[in-house]
Amino acid sequence: MFIDKYYPHEYIEDVYSIDYDALLRQGIRGLIFDIDNTLVPHGADSTPAVDAFFSTLHDKGFKTLLLSNNSESRIQRFNAHIGTLYIYDAGKPHPAAYEAAVQSMGLNKEEVVMIGDQVFTDICGANRSGIPGILVKYIGYYKKEKKGIRRRIEKAILYCYRHSNKTHRLGNITLKTQNPNK
């Protein structure tokens, strides 16, 4: 179905709610992250909590990469204390960006997941590339502010997703932990 290309493999509260040990047990070795509204509010620098989060992922043995449509200066500013691989001006959802990310990490598609907050860029691009995608609720999801048209369409897609047989395709990878930023 046409709408399936926007369905994530998992839909989870936030990046801190993912059981990364479960992903390791499944053979996942690489994590591709979007930045804005996935790890920090749009345009914000990294925080000590995000820096520590990446340090923990690296200590577990994960390779990480930031995949963003932002400029190089934005990514470098965010990445200053993380020191991970990155691709800027990625052109998401074009598959070439995802394929370049996998190649940069020296892994196979089967060993990598994409984690992001948008179905139209992060998840669609991952699906088009043959990479599993984990959608997280965007930072600001619970705020009572006006949402754009794309977020309203996304809500309809996620309604269909929740009522499909395409949910939880990565298994039980959700932790019941608190986001350290809340």
Side-chain angles (χ1 to χ4, degrees):
M1 207 187 326
F2 170 76
I3 198 169
D4 288 6
K5 72 180 179 181
Y6 300 110
Y7 287 174
H9 283 69
E10 297 292 337
Y11 183 34
I12 293 179
E13 189 72 24
D14 56 44
V15 297
Y16 303 103
S17 300
I18 298 170
D19 184 346
Y20 294 95
D21 292 326
L23 290 177
L24 279 170
R25 288 190 297 275
Q26 292 182 32
I28 301 300
R29 301 290 176 259
L31 306 169
I32 303 170
F33 285 94
D34 174 56
I35 297 174
D36 289 331
N37 293 324
T38 299
L39 294 166
V40 294
H42 186 80
D45 289 342
S46 185
T47 65
V50 172
D51 296 346
F53 169 68
F54 272 86
S55 180
T56 299
L57 293 175
H58 295 153
D59 288 347
K60 289 180 182 285
F62 282 108
K63 293 182 178 184
T64 60
L65 184 139
L66 304 172
L67 185 66
S68 177
N69 288 342
N70 281 304
S71 68
E72 185 172 25
S73 62
R74 160 72 175 120
I75 307 309
Q76 287 176 334
R77 193 179 77 236
F78 179 84
N79 196 26
H81 300 289
I82 296 169
T84 192
L85 298 168
Y86 63 89
I87 297 175
Y88 65 95
D89 291 332
K92 294 185 291 184
H94 196 278
Y98 296 82
E99 292 161 9
V102 170
Q103 185 177 18
S104 292
M105 290 189 285
L107 298 170
N108 298 316
K109 289 180 184 182
E110 299 78 26
E111 299 175 292
V112 176
V113 297
M114 171 71 198
I115 302 167
D117 71 297
Q118 291 190 50
V119 297
F120 295 110
T121 54
D122 305 316
I123 300 306
C124 179
N127 285 335
R128 290 174 63 195
S129 303
I131 298 169
I134 299 173
L135 182 70
V136 296
K137 292 179 180 172
Y138 59 92
I139 294 174
Y141 179 85
Y142 295 105
K143 292 182 180 175
K144 300 279 185 206
E145 58 192 36
K146 186 176 176 183
K147 308 285 189 270
I149 186 74
R150 288 180 71 146
R151 291 293 187 189
R152 284 192 226 118
I153 295 169
E154 196 171 82
K155 186 176 181 181
I157 290 169
L158 291 173
Y159 174 86
C160 295
Y161 164 75
R162 284 190 297 275
H163 292 87
S164 74
N165 63 351
K166 304 277 184 166
T167 61
H168 305 298
R169 291 180 281 160
L170 288 176
N172 184 13
I173 62 160
T174 304
L175 290 175
K176 304 270 189 271
T177 61
Q178 292 285 331
N179 178 337
N181 293 321
K182 289 185 179 179

